[in-house]
Every structure is written in C-alpha cells, then in structure tokens.
C-alpha cells in the first residue's frame, strides 16, 4: 500500500524537511569530517583520472573517452548528495526548498540511469575491440563514439525526465521527506493523491533498464569469452590482454549492482533500522565513485603508466 499524506494542499513556496540520520549529540562534526574526507577523495581520484586522460594524447581512445563519461557520471551522483549531507551534519540544517529538492532528486536518478547506459556502451566497445580487432577503428569512429556516449546520456535523461513529469499537477500535503536526500518516491509520498501511473512507470523503467543493460553486458562478455578462448589457443597474450581490458569494466558494473541489490533487499525487511537503510542509500551513490578511480588506476595499464609518468615528471621538474 502507498503511504499518502492527508491534509490541506501546500502552496508555493514549499520548503521540505529532510528526516536525515540520527546523530548523537556532539558527533555531528566527526561525521562531517568523515563525509568531507570521502568527498575530497572522490573529487581527487576522479579529477586525476580525467586530468590524465584529457592531457595525455595517447589516451584519446574510445575506451578512455567512455571512462571520462563514467567519471562525470560518478561526480554527478556524489555531488548531488554529499555537499548537502555535510551541511546537515555540521549545522543541523535539514530544510530544502522545492526546486532544489527536485533538482537533487533528478540528479540522483539520472546518475542511477546514466551509469548503467554508459556501462552498456562500454561493453559494446569492448565487444568490438576483442571480437573485431581488425575492423575496430573503422567501426568505432570518432563520430560513432560520440554518438554512443551522447545516446547513453540522452536515454538516461529522457527516462528520468518522463519519471519526473508525473510531479506536474500532484498537490503536496506533507513537508517531511523520510530520507537523507530527496528522491522521486520520497517526494510523491507527500502527495495528497495516489500516483499509480508514476509507480507503474517507475517500476517498468527500472526493470527494463536494468534488464536491458544486463543483457547487453551478458551478450558482449559471452562473445568476448568465446573469442578469447578461440584466439588464446594460438596466442596466449591475446587472451591475457583481453581479460585485463575487460576486467575493470566488469568490476565497476558488479560493484554498482551489488550495492543496488543490497539496498533493495534492506528495504524489503521492515525490521531493519531506518538509519541502516539510509546509510546504504548513501553507499549506493558514494561507494562506486569512491572506488572506480582506483579500479581504473590499478588495473588499466595505460592509465596507470600515464599517471606514474606525469607525477614522476612533476617531481623531477620541482627538484
């Protein structure tokens, strides 16, 4: 059953109140410092990856262009949540106006959709690179590369735009958002009327997007595995290189899916503490952007070598 807020419809300007975490007295500054350090690591890690890819012409290749798109997506998710969360922890200020609430929710949902569509495009790129190596550059041209990346963002934005179009003409009767951040469902739960069409579309969109991306990745890696086994019989280095190239992409996808599944499972058990549910709601948005730069930096030989070379050159230049 859908929880509705019964009362008199609110008039603009509407200001919501985020429920937030329970923070024991005196622990706010400590949690603020932890959130700040996390945000700084995310900005530094993703910033270094993007800086190295942009400035190193040898990395101006389809795979690394897509990594840049993934970096932008990760930064979108983290910056949509952490700055306001830090303000809550430091000042106790939990009020958020209607327009900023919608923007925050839109960015969070866009992150969730875009990271999947970008990973699907990356799987397609890896499939072409491994299964059609001789035709790779003729297939993955600059125009097609940018079209694929643009399509990934367009599909994500369109899906979320339609989702939020259901907010039009929905009167709101409540002000308290029972979460740490704003989301589509959290806002619509404050509506004076039920929104079955929005519920059905949201579920259908989530299922279709997740299933579609999973099928694309599963198909791509089935073909890649088959090609590696065939080519590896005659040249073992081919198989090793293919696995190294694809491992990072697969790890990023698996980490995001595990975080999402854990969050969904927690919401299916009412006995689980609300603060634990909220914490994992933050983890889904923060953990992938936190670890992705290290995954690509450690497991991608070209990127790792470029980072080492640039920092070594800077140290020698200073000396």
């Amino acid at each position: 059953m859908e929880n509705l807020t019964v009362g008199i419809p609110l008039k603009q300007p509407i200001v919501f109140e985020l429920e937030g975490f329970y923070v024991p007295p005196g622990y706010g500054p400590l949690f603020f410092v932890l959130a700040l350090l996390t945000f700084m690591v995310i900005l530094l890690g993703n910033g270094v990856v993007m800086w190295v890819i942009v400035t190193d012409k040898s990395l101006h290749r389809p795979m690394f262009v897509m990594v840049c798109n993934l970096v932008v997506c990760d930064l979108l998710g983290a910056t949509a949540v952490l700055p306001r969360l830090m303000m809550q922890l430091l000042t106790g200020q939990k009020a958020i106006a209607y327009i900023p609430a919608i923007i925050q929710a839109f960015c969070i949902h866009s992150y969730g959709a875009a990271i999947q569509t970008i990973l699907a495009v990356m799987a397609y790129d890896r499939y072409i690179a491994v299964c059609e190596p001789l035709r790779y550059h003729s297939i993955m041209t600059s125009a097609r590369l940018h079209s694929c990346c643009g399509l990934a963002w367009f599909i994500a934005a369109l899906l979320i735009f339609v989702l939020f179009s259901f907010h039009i003409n929905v009167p709101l009767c409540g002000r308290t958002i029972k979460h740490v951040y704003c989301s589509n469902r959290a806002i619509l739960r404050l509506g004076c009327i039920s929104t079955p069409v929005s519920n059905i579309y949201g579920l259908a969109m989530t299922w279709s997007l997740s299933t579609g991306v999973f099928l694309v990745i599963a198909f791509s890696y089935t073909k890649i595995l088959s090609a590696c086994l065939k080519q590896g019989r005659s040249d073992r280095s081919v198989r090793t290189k293919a696995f190294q190239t694809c491992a990072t992409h697969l790890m990023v996808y698996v980490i995001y899916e595990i975080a999402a599944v854990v969050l969904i499972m927690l919401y299916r058990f009412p006995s689980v503490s609300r603060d634990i549910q909220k914490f994992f709601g933050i983890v889904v948005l923060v953990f992938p952007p936190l670890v992705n730069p290290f995954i690509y930096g450690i497991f991608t030989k070209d990127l790792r070598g470029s980072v080492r070379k640039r920092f070594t050159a800077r140290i020698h230049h200073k000396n």
Side-chain angles (χ1 to χ4, degrees), residues 1-67:
M1 295 293 291
E2 183 179 9
N3 293 325
L4 293 177
T5 303
V6 179
I8 300 173
L10 303 174
K11 294 182 179 181
Q12 294 289 356
I14 297 173
V15 178
F16 298 117
E17 185 80 11
L18 291 165
E19 190 175 70
F21 287 113
Y22 167 70
V23 179
Y27 282 84
L30 174 62
F31 291 150
F32 165 78
V33 171
L34 292 176
L36 177 62
L37 289 175
T38 302
F39 191 46
M40 290 176 64
V41 171
I42 289 173
L43 292 178
L44 180 63
N46 286 280
V48 168
V49 170
M50 179 171 283
W51 170 68
V52 170
I53 293 174
V54 170
T55 57
D56 189 343
K57 292 184 178 180
S58 68
L59 298 181
H60 292 182
R61 289 175 276 165
M63 174 184 173
F64 294 105
V65 172
M66 293 176 189
V67 170

Side-chain angles (χ1 to χ4, degrees), residues 46 49-50 53 61-74 118 122 248 296 300 303:
N46 286 280
V49 170
M50 179 171 283
I53 293 174
R61 289 175 276 165
M63 174 184 173
F64 294 105
V65 172
M66 293 176 189
V67 170
C68 269
N69 279 269
L70 191 64
V71 166
V72 172
C73 185
D74 283 342
I118 292 170
M122 294 176 76
T248 52
Y296 281 103
T300 306
L303 183 59

Side-chain angles (χ1 to χ4, degrees), residues 255-289:
I255 286 172
Y256 174 78
E257 288 300 320
I258 289 175
V261 168
V262 169
L263 180 62
I264 292 170
M265 292 298 292
L266 286 173
Y267 275 96
R268 292 294 177 270
F269 295 95
S271 59
V272 177
S273 166
R274 286 283 301 164
D275 280 330
I276 293 177
Q277 293 176 350
K278 294 172 189 175
F279 173 76
F280 276 94
I282 295 289
V283 168
V284 170
L285 297 168
V286 171
F287 188 68

